[in-house]
């Protein structure tokens, strides 16, 4: 037996089983090996064994299939069909199945006895079993025959490649026999080349459409009995559940606790939590009574038409909500069907759409939507799509794109034209030389979902192995069919030539202190050494560097280091003062106020022992500065932390009386009218430098 | 705020959740800078002074802020008052409201001012003066922004005035104002002019002022015509009162090595009723919530590192480490990748999956993006084609296939933009998102019936725009909160604009409704009525469609009550039972016969014979 064939068969069967597992289908499967070393079936046909009787598919079955190895045994595939029919007949007895199928995977290489072929055909027919064969490419003659004969229900697919070359005589005999059976029973045959790609993807679970029944109204008199069906709705994956990583099978539960936002982070009982709504920064407690009395009542379930409007008034980008609802006449109500049909055609002919209010169930939110007429070859319906409310509209204004200063040249436009010409997705030639439209919704697979299913299947089969990266099969779903085409590449090259595109270096995302004090365009080079641009500094130099001046990044440490090294006290204090000023005045918001406060405290403490006047003289100036530059908030901090003048009580070296020190902190803003225009301009200029 | 407890299943959301919300990228700061000189108080034809209109705009904008983005900060500053009342003593400028989050008291203050018949009190209290300087006023705004205690990510000044040349007499002041304006531009403070009065001539002073703010080489802005009405001005304020905030800046790849930058915006997204705040009963202060996982049996708290994720399929728990689950999302790099082009007509209306986004060129990523974007937009509009792309909005987001619908810029008569230039990003459904409905239409309307329907729809035409429809649920909620917060005695009734005005519709239709009904229904047919569903219909366009199978079915429906009263429902075949129940809109999936029989009795309200 050719190993390639067995591998392909294994792949197919394994995929069929996995698909059933993921789709949570109730389908039951039996597995029969043809050409096994053992013989294990109730009819005692040689080298055929029923390894799994009819049951829901399981990972164990998948594993079994993937572990199969080839044998050198010959077995009759017709026998196998008989065994399969027998198993199906016996094991489905008493159970209800909507359909029973035999899928034969064989290269038809083995000798086959055609004695009972008519009996088999008869049995397949009478038991209503359908036969599907996945095998080698079937003889082209057979195929033509099948296509010529219109009444023949046999479906053949072949990719038309040199199928004949490698076939043995035995295979040809088998094929003609098989095509006879298929013809008689209306079975299906398909080659691996066709089957594998069709089986590679996972299917979502089929949802039985459930109608939402409502009587649609147009004004007080016109009423039509309709049903809404979800036609498009974003497919979702099953959600992940939580389990213990340390103890298998342990239940994991979760609990919500409510924490008061104070220093102690006190946990409070759920009973002590009430609800409220914020109205700006005002909190409005909203009791259950308020809620029941005041909440919006949408009323009964309805689909009410408010009026009709031109199609162009409802452009595509207004659509909101997820998916669409098809509105059709209620099943079996032909009067409704006629009424709805007349409305659909009227809208279609006039280029109008209906605007409607929809309430799904009593008192659920009222949804506003448009009803578009849709007339397809099979059915007519109205397509309901949600529309936004005025509150949902965000009024952004964008500067013009195509303007006098931003006008593309003719050559530039031509290069874009060439790109469009070379990437037409309407007519794409696939590998079988067929022309079709690419990226059509109905045949487009969700690559992410496919990737998740493949990964889940991989983990199920190999619990300890790493999850492999997305397969080529998945990644190819998002590739342009033109990606490798020379004409497309040329068009891209031309665009590259026509347009100047230069990458802008990304800015750092995280604002460091260094960045906060980044030099403005008019800034003087006055920052301390800690404010150097980090990008220009190697790690080594950062580690080795010794502090030469107090900087804004870690001022307290710098200050202490410098004093510890015996630097001049006055000089270091002046640097510290400058840094504090920088932190407070030149920063937006209060981010640096804590740092400034700490620095101020350290400076003050140092001065209390060494030289109070260095602090006291400066802090007066600093206070004025704070008021001048609108940093009253920081002044309040100083008052609260009592970081004012150093009084004689604190330091013997100080000449400031206790009373003066207290008065200093009680300072109120000057209400003098002296803030002359020049002064204003001065402060102004300072601010500009930021 | 921490996620509320009902947000438990964070995994479900990951795929679809849109990174949005008011906190994204910090808060906006807006200062309403209102001219308070005499001319602002002279009443126009409408009987409303420009000052009153401006104040009304402030109030409405503030209420809107509370609804849409309550984190934003709003301040109100008046210039041209005789009195001086501000922290920096800038002459003839009065700070009416400091830059803070809007709250009930602030709105009440404005309401009280607006309640008065005239502004005489205001004049007595603040007075008017022409001795102000625009430069000073702007500087005070700048200083207000920089001294704000909360981080403000975008700063805008909305300047309301009806005097087109305030410093006509002083070249010096004009110069100062322009140079101050340029300074503001440098520190990213934007100034928008809300000018009023028919004869307002921006070219005298303000046009140059605004140009100074925007920068000399910027011509990406234009001044609309001056407004005289409240609603006009308000519409302009609404367009200006928030900063455009993109949900992401990404690269658009056309092919090997050809990429340009775009910013993605969500122009339309549902506004929800805000989440409830959880308050401590004793203090009325907001409490935090935290969710802890613990061992179901021992009650021990489990750390995130002790937890795994799983899904169950084929009788097996398939276990993933949390990091592995996260890794699954790293399928594609963020960005747009061009796959090809299709004619615009290929994008079907009924293939709607979810709300679209909008892209606009972003020079900040790649210089030259604007030009290439312009060329692409121009050609797509001219040739009516749409680029089809693979779109990954951000890292860890699943890729979508999207169609980029080009949109040409459009302005209205007053020079206000109503359609922005750029591409709408329309999500296309995957096959998994489309459900199979095995439905077939059996009968169609004939020409006469269609004509009657046309007469009806033509009578009920109206020009639809989303701005005419307020969300009744949201409005009710906000009016209630407003009434509680602002101590109104009565709640304000909200008109539900989504309820059709049947009286008006009937008066428009007159006899047309009955004519339509007569043409499509016959006799005693009651739409949606249960027993009469078999009501004969007139004129079937395609008689062949009247299949015998159908007749049997409807017959069965009519007879079912008889059968049930005789207790013979179980004698019917499963298929007939199912067909009947399905017609009645009852779910029959996977039901056994006995269940189906019970359902029929239940549905008809007849006791099942035991």
């Amino acid at each position: 037996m050719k190993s390639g064939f067995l591998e392909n068969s294994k792949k197919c069967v394994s995929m069929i089983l996995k698909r059933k597992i993921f789709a949570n289908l109730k389908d039951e499967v039996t597995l029969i090996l043809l050409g096994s070393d053992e013989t294990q079936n109730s009819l005692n046909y040689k080298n055929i064994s029923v390894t799994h009787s009819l049951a829901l598919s399981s990972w164990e079955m998948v594993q079994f299939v993937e572990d199969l190895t080839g044998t050198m045994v010959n077995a009759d595939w017709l026998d196998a069909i008989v065994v399969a029919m027998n198993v199906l007949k016996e094991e489905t007895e008493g159970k209800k199945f909507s359909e029973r199928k035999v899928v034969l995977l064989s290269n038809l290489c083995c000798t086959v006895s055609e004695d009972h072929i008519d009996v088999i055909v008869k049995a397949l027919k009478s038991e209503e079993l359908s036969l599907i064969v996945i095998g080698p490419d079937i003889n082209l003659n057979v195929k033509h025959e099948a296509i010529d004969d219109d009444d023949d229900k046999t479906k053949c697919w072949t990719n038309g490649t040199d199928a004949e070359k490698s076939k043995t005589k035995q295979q040809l005999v088998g094929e003609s026999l098989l095509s006879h059976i298929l013809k008689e029973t209306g079975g299906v045959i398909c080659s691996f080349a066709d089957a594998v790609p069709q089986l590679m993807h996972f299917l979502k679970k089929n949802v039985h459409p459930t109608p939402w029944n409502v009587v649609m109204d147009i004004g007080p008199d016109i009423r039509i009995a309709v049903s809404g069906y979800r036609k498009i709705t974003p497919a979702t994956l099953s959600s992940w559940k939580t389990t213990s990583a340390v103890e298998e099978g342990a239940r994991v539960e979760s609990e919500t606790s409510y924490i008061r936002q104070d220093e102690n982070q006190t946990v409070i009982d759920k009973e002590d939590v009430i609800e409220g709504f914020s109205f700006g920064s005002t909190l409005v407690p909203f009791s259950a009574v308020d809620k029941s009395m005041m909440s919006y009542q949408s009323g009964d379930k309805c689909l009410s038409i408010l009026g009709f409007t031109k199609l162009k008034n409802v452009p595509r980008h207004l659509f909101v909500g997820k998916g669409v609802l098809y509105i059709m006449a209620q099943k079996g109500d032909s009067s409704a069907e006629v009424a709805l049909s007349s409305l659909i055609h009227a809208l279609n002919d006039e280029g109008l759409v209906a605007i409607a209010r929809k309430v799904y169930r009593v008192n659920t939110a009222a949804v506003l939507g448009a009803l578009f007429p849709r007339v397809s070859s099979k059915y007519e319906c109205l397509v309901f799509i949600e529309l936004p409310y005025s509150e949902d509209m965000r009024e952004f204004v964008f500067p013009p794109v195509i303007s006098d200063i931003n006008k593309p040249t003719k050559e530039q436009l031509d290069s874009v034209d060439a790109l469009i010409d070379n990437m037409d997705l309407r007519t794409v030639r696939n590998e079988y030389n067929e022309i079709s439209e690419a990226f059509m919704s109905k045949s487009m697979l969700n690559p992410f979902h496919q990737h998740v299913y493949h990964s889940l299947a991989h983990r199920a089969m190999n619990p300890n192995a790493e999850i492999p990266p997305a397969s080529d099969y998945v990644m190819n779903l998002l590739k342009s069919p033109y990606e490798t085409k020379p004409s497309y590449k040329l068009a891209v090259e031309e665009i590259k030539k026509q347009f100047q595109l230069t990458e802008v270096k990304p800015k750092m995302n995280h604002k460091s202190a260094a960045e906060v004090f980044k030099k403005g365009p008019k800034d003087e080079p006055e920052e301390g050494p800690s404010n150097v641009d980090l990008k220009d500094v190697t790690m080594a130099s950062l580690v080795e560097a010794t502090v030469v001046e107090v900087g804004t990044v870690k001022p307290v440490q710098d200050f202490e280091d410098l004093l510890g090294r015996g630097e001049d006290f006055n000089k270091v204090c002046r640097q510290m003062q400058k840094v504090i000023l920088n932190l407070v005045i030149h920063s937006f918001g209060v981010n640096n106020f804590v740092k400034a406060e700490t620095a101020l405290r350290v400076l003050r403490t140092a001065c209390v022992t060494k030289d109070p006047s260095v602090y006291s003289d400066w802090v007066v100036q600093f206070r004025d500065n704070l008021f001048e530059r609108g940093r009253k908030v920081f002044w309040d901090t100083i008052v609260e932390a009592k970081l004012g003048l150093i009084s004689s009580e604190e330091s013997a070296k100080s000449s400031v009386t206790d009373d003066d020190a207290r008065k200093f902190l009680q300072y109120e803003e000057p209400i003098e009218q002296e803030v002359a225009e020049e002064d204003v301009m001065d402060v102004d200029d300072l601010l500009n430098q930021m | 705020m921490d996620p509320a407890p009902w947000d438990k299943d964070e995994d479900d959301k990951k795929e679809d959740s849109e990174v949005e919300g008011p906190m994204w990228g910090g808060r906006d700061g807006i200062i309403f800078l209102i001219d308070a000189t005499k001319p602002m108080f002279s009443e126009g034809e409408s009987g409303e002074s420009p000052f009153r209109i401006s104040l009304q705009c402030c109030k409405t904008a503030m209420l809107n802020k509370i609804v849409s983005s309550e984190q934003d900060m709003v301040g109100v500053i008046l210039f041209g008052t005789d009195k001086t009342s501000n922290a920096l003593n800038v002459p003839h400028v009065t700070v009416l409201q400091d830059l803070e989050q809007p709250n009930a008291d602030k709105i009440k203050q404005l309401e009280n001012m607006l309640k008065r018949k005239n502004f005489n009190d205001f004049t007595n209290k603040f007075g008017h003066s022409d001795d102000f300087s625009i430069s000073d006023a702007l500087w005070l705004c700048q200083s207000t922004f920089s001294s704000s205690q909360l981080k403000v990510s975008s700063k805008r000044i909305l300047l309301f005035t009806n005097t087109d040349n305030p410093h006509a007499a002083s070249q010096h002041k004009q110069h100062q104002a322009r140079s101050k304006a340029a300074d503001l531009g440098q520190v990213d403070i934007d100034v928008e002019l809300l000018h009023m009065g028919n004869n307002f001539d921006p070219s005298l002073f303000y046009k140059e002022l605004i140009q100074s703010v925007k920068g000399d080489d910027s011509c990406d802005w234009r001044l609309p015509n001056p407004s005289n009405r409240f609603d006009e001005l308000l519409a302009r304020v609404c367009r200006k009162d928030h900063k455009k905030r993109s949900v992401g800046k990404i690269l658009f790849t056309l092919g090997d090595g050809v990429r340009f930058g775009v910013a993605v915006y969500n122009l339309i997204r549902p506004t929800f009723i805000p989440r409830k705040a959880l308050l401590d009963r004793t203090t009325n202060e907001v409490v935090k919530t935290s969710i802890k996982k613990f061992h179901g049996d021992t009650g021990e708290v489990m750390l995130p590192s002790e937890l795994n994720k799983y899904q169950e399929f084929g009788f097996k728990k398939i276990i993933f480490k949390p990091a592995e689950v996260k890794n699954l999302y790293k399928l594609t790099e963020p960005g747009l990748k061009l796959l090809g082009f299709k004619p615009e007509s290929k994008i079907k209306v009924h293939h709607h999956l979810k709300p679209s986004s909008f892209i606009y060129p972003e020079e900040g990523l790649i210089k030259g993006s604007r030009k290439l974007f312009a060329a692409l937009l121009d050609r797509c509009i001219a040739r009516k084609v749409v680029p089809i792309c693979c779109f990954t909005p951000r890292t860890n987001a699943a890729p979508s296939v999207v169609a980029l619908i080009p949109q040409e810029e459009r302005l209205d008569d007053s020079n206000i933009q109503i359609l922005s230039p750029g591409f709408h990003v329309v999500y296309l459904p995957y096959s998994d998102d489309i459900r199979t409905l095995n439905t077939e239409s059996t009968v169609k309307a004939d020409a006469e019936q269609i004509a009657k329907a046309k007469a009806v729809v033509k009578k009920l035409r109206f020009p639809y725009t989303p701005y005419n429809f307020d969300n009744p649920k949201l409005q009710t909620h906000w009016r209630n909160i407003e009434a509680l917060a602002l101590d109104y005695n009565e709640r304000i009734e909200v008109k539900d604009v989504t309820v059709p005005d049947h009286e008006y519709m009937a008066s428009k239709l007159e006899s047309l409704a009955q004519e339509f009904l007569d043409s499509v229904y016959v006799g005693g047919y009651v739409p949606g009525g249960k027993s009469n569903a078999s009501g004969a219909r007139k004129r079937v366009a395609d008689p062949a469609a009247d299949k015998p199978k159908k007749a049997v079915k409807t017959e069965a429906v009519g007879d079912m009550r008889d059968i049930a009263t005789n207790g013979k429902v179980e004698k019917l075949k499963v298929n007939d039972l199912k067909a009947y129940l399905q017609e009645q809109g009852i779910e029959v999936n996977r039901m056994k016969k006995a269940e189906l029989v019970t359902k029929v009795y239940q549905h008809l309200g007849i006791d099942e014979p035991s």
Side-chain angles (χ1 to χ4, degrees), chain B residues 44-46 50 161-164 195-202 224-229 232:
Chain B
E45 297 148 32
S46 57
T161 185
N162 67 343
T163 304
D164 52 12
H195 49 311
M196 294 165 275
N198 289 335
N199 302 320
F200 194 102
D201 182 0
N225 303 334
S227 322
N228 290 315
R229 293 202 329 266
E232 274 176 17

Side-chain angles (χ1 to χ4, degrees), chain A residues 397-403, chain B residues 220-222 358 360 377 381 406-412 415-422:
Chain A
V397 178
F398 294 88
V401 170
I402 308 167
S403 59
Chain B
D220 289 343
W221 62 280
R222 51 171 90 78
F358 184 76
Y360 186 80
L377 186 63
I381 291 169
Q407 178 169 285
E408 205 169 2
E409 182 181 23
R410 246 185 38 221
L411 309 173
D412 72 0
N415 226 7
I416 294 172
Q417 191 177 71
I418 45 171
L419 286 179
S420 312

Side-chain angles (χ1 to χ4, degrees), chain B residues 4-215:
Chain B
W6 57 83
D7 265 349
K8 267 176 205 151
D9 211 340
E10 66 270 41
D11 295 321
D12 271 0
K13 294 199 157 174
K14 227 174 251 165
E15 190 191 357
D16 254 336
S17 66
E18 315 250 350
V19 182
E20 275 187 71
M23 288 313 287
W24 204 86
R27 56 186 94 216
D28 287 354
I30 299 176
I31 292 177
F32 292 95
L33 181 59
I34 306 175
D35 183 350
T37 55
K38 266 222 183 76
M40 286 290 282
F41 292 85
S42 61
E43 287 169 11
E45 297 148 32
S46 57
E48 303 230 299
S49 66
F51 188 76
R52 178 182 290 275
I53 292 175
S54 308
L55 228 46
Q56 267 174 341
C57 277
C58 286
K59 185 198 133 190
T60 315
M62 227 180 256
L63 277 172
N64 286 346
K65 276 280 167 222
I66 284 182
V67 174
S68 63
S69 39
E70 57 173 29
Q71 299 292 328
D72 290 355
M73 316 250 279
V74 181
V76 184
I77 298 180
L78 313 173
F79 67 92
T81 52
D82 189 40
K83 288 267 165 50
T84 294
S85 162
N86 60 78
L88 299 173
N89 277 319
V90 176
H92 304 301
V93 175
T94 298
V95 174
L96 196 63
Q97 295 188 350
D98 234 330
L99 185 70
E100 280 167 349
Q101 268 175 267
N103 61 26
D105 291 336
K106 286 171 179 281
I107 289 166
K108 277 187 216 163
Q109 186 194 5
L110 294 180
E111 260 179 359
N112 287 335
M113 288 175 74
L114 286 165
K115 251 185 234 160
R116 309 255 161 82
K117 272 212 181 73
N118 54 48
F119 287 98
N120 292 346
D121 278 357
F122 177 89
T123 308
N124 291 339
K125 196 169 167 198
F126 298 103
H128 309 296
S129 163
D130 289 332
D131 204 18
F132 63 91
S133 149
I134 297 276
S135 163
D136 291 354
L138 291 177
W139 175 70
L140 182 70
C141 292
Q142 181 187 8
S143 155
T144 307
F145 278 126
S146 59
S147 60
S148 154
Q149 296 196 37
L150 292 162
K151 194 179 164 239
V152 179
S153 66
S154 99
K155 312 180 188 81
R156 307 165 86 75
I157 298 169
L158 304 189
L159 199 160
F160 294 77
T161 185
N162 67 343
T163 304
D164 52 12
N165 199 2
H167 296 322
S170 166
Q171 281 292 329
H172 178 61
K173 278 188 178 176
Q174 288 189 19
H175 174 75
Q176 275 187 329
R178 279 193 293 269
S179 94
K180 183 72 249 166
D183 291 345
L184 292 179
Q186 290 281 337
V187 294
D188 270 341
I189 297 177
D190 203 3
V191 179
E192 301 287 354
L193 181 67
L194 281 306
H195 49 311
M196 294 165 275
N198 289 335
N199 302 320
F200 194 102
D201 182 0
S203 67
L204 291 177
F205 173 69
Y206 278 106
K207 195 169 177 211
E208 214 183 323
L209 185 88
I210 305 293
Q211 182 74 66
S212 309
V213 177
K214 313 263 179 194

Side-chain angles (χ1 to χ4, degrees), chain A residues 628-630 675 677-689, chain B residues 88 139:
Chain A
E628 238 172 75
R629 304 192 185 189
V675 192
E677 203 160 70
E678 298 101 85
D679 289 342
V680 174
M681 288 308 290
D682 257 8
V683 182
D684 205 0
D685 288 343
L686 275 171
L687 275 163
N688 286 342
Q689 294 180 356
Chain B
L88 299 173
W139 175 70

Side-chain angles (χ1 to χ4, degrees), chain A residues 210 251 253 259-260 274 276 296 309 316 333-334 337 357 390-391 398-399 421 444 460 480 502 684, chain B residues 180 277 279-280 288 294 296 316 339 348 360 367 383 417 431 442 469-470 475 496 498 525 537 587:
Chain A
T210 39
R251 272 187 308 129
E253 290 178 11
I259 302 158
R260 204 175 277 163
I274 55 168
Y296 169 70
T309 196
R316 177 88 197 213
D333 188 339
S334 40
E337 216 173 333
R357 160 198 168 91
S390 64
E391 294 91 340
F398 294 88
D421 292 335
M444 213 158 61
S480 171
T502 36
D684 205 0
Chain B
K180 183 72 249 166
L279 309 178
D280 182 343
K288 281 194 299 186
F294 60 91
K316 195 167 179 176
L339 300 171
K348 302 293 182 204
Y360 186 80
K367 231 175 143 245
R383 300 184 54 175
Q417 191 177 71
S431 61
T442 51
F469 293 95
D470 290 346
Q475 289 300 327
D496 188 342
T498 67
Y525 173 77
R537 64 193 168 274
E587 177 67 40

Side-chain angles (χ1 to χ4, degrees), chain A residues 308-324:
Chain A
F308 304 91
T309 196
K310 288 200 187 96
L311 189 61
K312 72 164 174 53
N313 288 339
V314 193
R316 177 88 197 213
H317 64 264
L318 285 183
F319 297 2
V320 293
K322 303 229 160 147
V324 304

Side-chain angles (χ1 to χ4, degrees), chain B residues 226-297:
Chain B
S227 322
N228 290 315
R229 293 202 329 266
F230 167 65
D231 51 345
E232 274 176 17
L233 196 67
L234 183 66
R236 282 171 58 194
V237 170
C238 288
R239 282 179 164 80
K240 298 287 183 194
D241 81 344
H242 46 213
K243 185 167 168 69
K244 292 193 293 276
R245 193 159 280 161
S246 74
V247 285
K249 289 172 183 160
I250 52 169
L251 292 174
F252 188 152
T253 309
L254 293 186
D256 212 10
V258 180
R259 310 191 294 178
F260 61 98
V262 293
V264 185
Y265 298 88
N266 289 337
L267 300 187
I268 303 175
R269 282 300 178 274
T271 306
F272 297 108
I273 285 181
R275 274 189 189 156
K276 276 167 252 167
L278 297 173
L279 309 178
D280 182 343
R281 188 190 292 279
T282 49
T283 61
N284 262 3
E285 275 168 16
V286 178
V287 293
K288 281 194 299 186
T289 56
S290 100
I291 300 169
K292 282 199 182 104
K293 303 267 188 210
F294 60 91
H295 193 288
D297 298 318

Side-chain angles (χ1 to χ4, degrees), chain A residues 87-153:
Chain A
V87 171
L88 275 183
K89 190 171 156 43
E90 279 174 6
E91 299 194 11
T92 58
E93 202 131 286
K95 290 186 191 169
K96 182 129 181 74
F97 286 93
S98 61
E99 224 186 341
R100 292 180 299 169
K101 289 180 196 159
V102 176
V103 181
L104 172 72
L105 296 105
S106 170
N107 58 1
L108 312 177
C109 278
C110 301
T111 47
V112 60
S113 80
E114 37 193 302
D115 305 351
H116 305 297
I117 188 148
D118 292 334
V119 184
I120 294 171
V121 167
K122 224 168 152 186
L124 278 170
K125 277 183 177 166
S126 67
E127 281 290 313
E128 292 184 345
L129 297 174
S130 42
L131 178 65
I132 298 161
V133 182
I134 303 175
D137 296 325
I138 201 89
N139 190 311
L140 281 175
N141 296 331
V142 180
K143 186 194 170 197
H144 282 153
E145 226 173 90
I147 282 171
D148 289 343
D149 190 353
D150 271 359
D151 289 329
D152 196 326
K153 277 182 238 128

